[in-house]
Amino acid sequence: MDPAVLPILACPRCRAEAPFKNLRMPRCASCGLEPVSHNANVIDLIDVSVGEPTVASTEQRLMESELVARIYDRFWRPAFVRMLAGKGAGAAVGGLSGELFIHKHGLSLDDRPGPWLDLSCGPGAFARALAAAAPGALVVGLDISRAMLDVAAQRTGGYTNVVLVRADAHALPFVDGAFGGVNNAGALHAYDDPEVVFREVRRVLRPGGLYVGSTFAEAPSLFGRLAARAAGIRRFDPGELRAWLGRIGFADYEDVRLGGALVFRVRRP
Ligand SMILES: C[S@@+](CC[C@H](N)C(=O)[O-])C[C@H]1O[C@@H](n2cnc3c(N)ncnc32)[C@H](O)[C@@H]1O
């Protein structure tokens, strides 16, 4: 694991900055917390004093399944996106390449030094793409699902600049201003409280840092709207999202619509 991550970590329990001396046997120098990971290639920074997060939604229970994590990129994501956001989005977004292109372009990878956070990285497709596009920069893939992180660890094994962290997007274990950009593909609909996540993203971005996310807007078909309602999927009205992110202190909102999906970008002033 790339030790470049050490200075940007914050202890999930006492919030001390750069709490660990090494990643082999991490121990917080301030409160003594010793994170225990289920996988040697993942740092587990869930705050165990608060307890394991409860998994309330059906979708998140599926995200914890090994089978879903393994078939996610090839089958699950394309089918899900096509169903909820229509055929147009399915081609560009579910097929990943179109969406990856938009995200990489949106983050301005070539012009910025990073580090980059792939927030809710799932099995790591975006983290891999960022790591390949910015080989000199640290890429942190973060997710709450052990199954997703296990697959991400296998698939990012060839990239020495990727570090995987298990944590909750509502309580990011990083120091303020740690990242040059945050990538957040297809996960906003899954969060209990997006407002808290937006505030955390703003906090961990340095001034001028970019936040690029994708989510579901309005389904183009009646079937898509009914399926979203049945699955309990939250949708984001682009006008409301723009105003929401503005209230939190982001600037320069832009978005690209792909059928019923949208990719947005904002900047921390
Ligand atoms: C639909 S998947 C998207 C994965 C990947 N970003 C992509 O676009 O292919 C949503 C991911 O969000 C993660 N997630 C859900 N709630 C989370 C939370 N509170 N903190 C961190 N990750 C979370 C899930 O475990 C899952 O991997």
Side-chain angles (χ1 to χ4, degrees):
M1 262 188 266
D2 191 341
V5 75
L6 288 169
I8 61 167
L9 292 177
C11 175
R13 188 201 279 163
C14 72
R15 308 303 306 171
E17 299 192 353
F20 309 121
K21 287 207 176 67
N22 63 66
L23 294 169
R24 265 177 301 106
M25 294 179 69
R27 183 173 195 281
C28 174
S30 179
C31 72
L33 174 80
E34 293 181 10
V36 178
S37 294
H38 72 289
N39 179 321
N41 296 312
V42 174
I43 315 167
D44 195 322
L45 295 178
I46 292 286
D47 181 359
V48 281
S49 61
V50 176
E52 277 291 322
T54 45
V55 178
S57 73
T58 308
E59 195 207 351
Q60 192 52 29
R61 274 200 294 278
L62 290 164
M63 296 293 134
E64 308 279 346
S65 140
E66 270 175 49
L67 175 66
V68 172
R70 261 190 272 123
I71 64 168
Y72 179 82
D73 283 340
R74 253 177 118 178
F75 302 109
W76 190 275
R77 190 184 208 277
F80 201 69
V81 170
R82 187 174 173 151
M83 182 174 69
L84 294 178
K87 206 170 161 190
V93 182
L96 265 177
S97 54
E99 193 184 359
L100 275 172
F101 175 82
I102 296 169
H103 278 252
K104 284 199 299 192
H105 180 73
L107 286 165
S108 296
L109 288 180
D110 295 340
D111 311 334
R112 290 160 182 270
W116 308 100
L117 173 62
D118 186 17
L119 180 59
S120 298
C121 63
F126 285 84
R128 280 202 311 279
L130 300 185
L138 174 70
V139 175
V140 178
L142 178 148
D143 206 283
I144 204 165
S145 156
R146 291 188 176 97
M148 288 290 185
L149 287 165
D150 286 343
V151 176
Q154 284 163 15
R155 296 184 186 167
T156 58
Y159 296 92
T160 51
N161 56 334
V162 175
V163 170
L164 296 172
V165 172
R166 180 167 180 257
D168 188 339
H170 299 80
L172 294 175
F174 306 108
V175 302
D176 297 357
F179 295 98
V182 174
N183 186 61
N184 188 202
L188 272 188
H189 67 275
Y191 299 143
D192 291 346
D193 193 342
E195 166 96 14
V196 174
V197 177
F198 290 152
R199 290 189 184 284
E200 279 294 84
V201 170
R202 188 178 185 284
R203 180 183 68 74
V204 302
L205 275 175
R206 71 170 71 107
L210 296 172
Y211 173 34
V212 176
S214 57
T215 190
F216 295 111
E218 197 46 58
S221 70
L222 177 64
F223 171 71
R225 288 197 289 279
L226 292 176
R229 201 171 305 157
I233 298 294
R234 185 191 284 117
R235 293 182 167 278
F236 290 79
D237 173 81
E240 283 170 18
L241 182 62
R242 176 192 201 119
W244 193 353
L245 290 163
R247 278 196 303 279
I248 284 170
F250 287 105
D252 303 339
Y253 178 95
E254 295 171 88
D255 68 36
V256 182
R257 315 278 169 87
L258 302 155
L262 82 110
V263 183
F264 64 89
R265 172 169 86 168
V266 284
R267 188 177 57 82
R268 179 186 170 164

